[in-house]
């Protein structure tokens, strides 16, 4: 029986040309990218070329791209990297479990989380986000594209609300990357997560806007 794979929203195979581009770094060019010798710097140059490619995809600076092992780690970094005890977080009821479980963990640590609902079209109302803002709101995290329905959220408007309220805005764009154009300046987000395994590539990454947030250690 001939099987046809139709679940690319769940995961994708690495493209042959991607595998070929990576192959030398599994053997011949194996240097530690943090080393100062030739082998390390050769590998480091390849990492930085990859960082530039991701930056071109997102419309940001290469220095604002942080690589992670996967989309869940990317979301975790965006959330746990900012929130501290005493802060307030706003998210939606339809986020991926990578975000919802992170928010649940925050609540277990005593951090308040507000979950805004969606309407009959599975859309978050930006007005609900604005009404949920508090003086101690530190982060709003609303996904760009829902992983179940595919609905695109009004992240540009939410980004403007967050900027006006001086609140960090994170968006999970894992299901949106390569399907719709992504420009972090248009969205107005401070952090954005993508995952390579959704787009025929390895690993994942976080956009972390340097002008507003303290950047984590780059890898």
């Amino acid at each position: 029986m001939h099987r046809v794979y139709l679940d690319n929203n769940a995961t994708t195979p690495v493209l042959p040309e991607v595998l070929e581009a990576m192959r030398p770094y599994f053997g011949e060019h194996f240097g530690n990218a943090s080393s100062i010798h030739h082998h390390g710097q050769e590998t480091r140059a390849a990492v930085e070329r990859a960082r530039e490619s991701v930056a071109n995809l997102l419309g940001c600076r290469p220095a604002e791209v942080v690589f992670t092992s996967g989309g869940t780690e990317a979301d975790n970094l965006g959330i746990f990297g900012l929130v501290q005890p005493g802060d307030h977080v706003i998210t939606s009821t339809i986020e991926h479990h990578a975000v919802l479980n992170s928010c649940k963990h925050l609540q277990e640590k005593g951090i308040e989380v507000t979950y805004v609902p969606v309407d009959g079209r599975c859309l978050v109302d930006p007005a609900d986000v604005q009404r949920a803002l508090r003086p101690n709101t530190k982060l709003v995290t609303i996904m760009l594209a829902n992983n179940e329905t595919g609905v695109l959220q009004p992240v540009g408007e939410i980004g403007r609300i967050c900027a006006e309220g001086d609140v960090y805005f994170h968006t999970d764009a894992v299901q949106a990357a390569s399907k719709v154009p992504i420009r972090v300046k248009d969205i107005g987000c401070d952090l954005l997560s993508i995952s390579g395994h959704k787009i025929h590539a390895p690993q994942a990454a976080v956009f972390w806007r340097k002008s507003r947030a303290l950047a984590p250690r780059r890898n």
Side-chain angles (χ1 to χ4, degrees):
M1 180 174 64
H2 178 68
R3 295 181 183 271
V4 177
Y5 183 76
L6 298 173
D7 199 16
N8 274 3
N9 275 343
T11 193
T12 60
V14 172
L15 288 175
E17 53 265 42
V18 174
L19 183 60
E20 283 304 309
M22 293 175 58
R23 193 183 301 278
Y25 302 97
F26 289 111
E28 180 182 355
H29 304 299
F30 57 86
N32 186 328
S34 297
S35 300
I36 62 173
H37 52 61
H38 170 74
H39 296 288
Q41 290 306 295
E42 185 178 51
T43 307
R44 183 69 182 190
V47 172
E48 295 309 319
R49 288 194 297 271
R51 203 185 305 276
E52 289 176 5
S53 295
V54 176
N56 289 335
L57 174 68
L58 303 180
C60 67
R61 293 181 292 162
E64 295 175 315
V65 173
V66 180
F67 289 120
T68 66
S69 62
T72 295
E73 185 184 1
D75 285 334
N76 289 173
L77 180 61
I79 294 171
F80 295 131
L82 281 176
V83 180
Q84 300 176 350
D87 291 336
H88 171 240
V89 175
I90 299 171
T91 189
S92 81
T93 56
I94 60 163
E95 297 300 306
H96 188 274
H97 281 120
V99 170
L100 291 177
N101 287 340
S102 294
C103 289
K104 181 180 178 181
H105 181 73
L106 292 178
Q107 288 180 289
E108 292 171 352
K109 296 294 184 180
I111 295 171
E112 292 184 287
V113 178
T114 296
Y115 297 87
V116 296
V118 294
D119 62 18
R121 299 169 297 168
C122 292
L123 284 168
V124 172
D125 186 346
D128 286 341
V129 175
Q130 189 162 36
R131 282 189 290 267
L133 291 175
R134 304 177 186 176
N136 65 328
T137 302
K138 183 68 167 291
L139 175 70
V140 172
T141 174
I142 303 291
M143 60 175 26
L144 200 165
N146 185 265
N147 53 295
E148 298 291 343
T149 66
V151 171
L152 299 177
Q153 300 300 328
V155 290
E157 190 171 350
I158 294 171
R160 287 190 291 274
I161 290 170
C162 291
E164 291 170 359
D166 195 24
V167 174
Y168 291 109
F169 179 38
H170 165 257
T171 186
D172 178 343
V174 167
Q175 288 291 359
S178 84
K179 300 179 181 73
V180 297
I182 296 177
R183 287 293 178 266
V184 294
K185 291 182 180 179
D186 295 338
I187 296 172
C189 58
D190 301 291
L191 305 106
L192 180 145
S193 306
I194 63 171
S195 185
H197 81 93
K198 303 285 189 181
I199 53 176
H200 302 282
Q203 290 191 283
V206 177
F207 157 72
W208 192 294
R209 189 184 302 280
K210 279 198 166 186
S211 60
R212 290 208 63 212
L214 292 175
R217 180 181 177 183
R218 295 200 323 179
N219 56 357

